[in-house]
Amino acid sequence: MILELQGIYKDYIQGKMRVPVLKDINFSMEEGEYVAIMGPSGSGKSTLMNIIGCLDQCTSGKVFLDGQDISRCNENQMSDLRLKKIGFVFQSFHLLPKQSALTNVELPLTYAKVPKKEREERALAALDRVGLAERVHFHPNQLSGGQMQRVAIARAIVNRPKLLLADEPTGALDSKSGTQVMELFQSLNDEGVSVLMITHDSEIADHAKRVVMIRDGILTERW
Ligand code: ADP
Ligand code: MG
């Protein structure tokens, strides 16, 4: 099992109010699976993804990532898990605007203290993998949206993560670029990377082999 969620609740505190966002989420994913989570805006998709991706913590419940309970990790342990096990792709790319594609892709390796030469080799290979070998010295503002997302995917895979998380990865892209992103995810999944993707587009969700639905913080399977 690459991922197992047991009774996940998440409340946000707003002023004196406790706002329940995730309500008893139970979910598991085998290694090598490709799953899409679908749901309307505000249903808790990003909140859930951030908990799985070690960017946030649940209020109660347990999260097992690759067999390890990560639900009560401290900041250092969370960033370590992000570096070692997870690749994360966002709707709006989250690239550093003043750095080249190459430097952006090297970033996780820089954090992981990988030596310069190996860092560069692996980042170049990842950029080649996403079809951007010719653009490695370009900055984000010199790239199209689809190219920026491919740089972000290269950055997400440069650590060879077991689990690739994507929060609306095609949400900001035209349909042709979206298709390229879906082809990349498929080939990564064919190589054994587990993929968990959020979308509210049913055509995009159909690329996954299993689809689950979330509505008002409640998750239901839809095989
Ligand atoms: P989705 O990604 O499905 O659109 P989100 O997970 O972003 O939904 O948000 C789910 C709900 O949680 C929304 O009602 C949103 O307003 C609320 N929410 C998200 N982040 C916060 C936060 N940091 N503080 C308070 N409420 C939040
Ligand atoms: Mg969202």
Side-chain angles (χ1 to χ4, degrees), residues 51-52 78 88 113 143 149 163 192 194 200 209-210 216:
I51 290 169
I52 297 168
M78 298 227 297
F88 211 135
K113 302 195 166 61
L143 297 169
Q149 192 60 299
L163 179 60
S194 311
H200 59 244
K209 296 189 188 81
R210 171 156 71 107
D216 289 333

Side-chain angles (χ1 to χ4, degrees), residues 39-80:
S41 183
S43 55
K45 303 185 297 297
S46 295
T47 301
L48 181 62
M49 204 60 139
N50 291 344
I51 290 169
I52 297 168
C54 297
L55 293 169
D56 195 6
Q57 286 190 320
C58 53
T59 306
S60 65
K62 282 193 168 169
V63 181
F64 293 90
L65 179 66
D66 201 18
Q68 183 188 352
D69 184 359
I70 63 163
S71 30
R72 302 272 87 80
C73 283
N74 64 32
E75 284 291 334
N76 281 339
Q77 293 167 321
M78 298 227 297
S79 66
D80 205 46

Side-chain angles (χ1 to χ4, degrees), residues 24-39:
D24 194 20
I25 304 262
N26 294 283
F27 171 75
S28 63
M29 198 174 150
E30 301 283 351
E31 200 159 348
E33 265 200 287
Y34 186 172
V35 182
I37 301 178
M38 280 195 80

Side-chain angles (χ1 to χ4, degrees), residues 192-207:
V193 179
S194 311
V195 181
L196 181 60
M197 166 176 79
I198 283 176
T199 182
H200 59 244
D201 180 336
S202 61
E203 271 181 44
I204 293 295
D206 285 342
H207 287 89

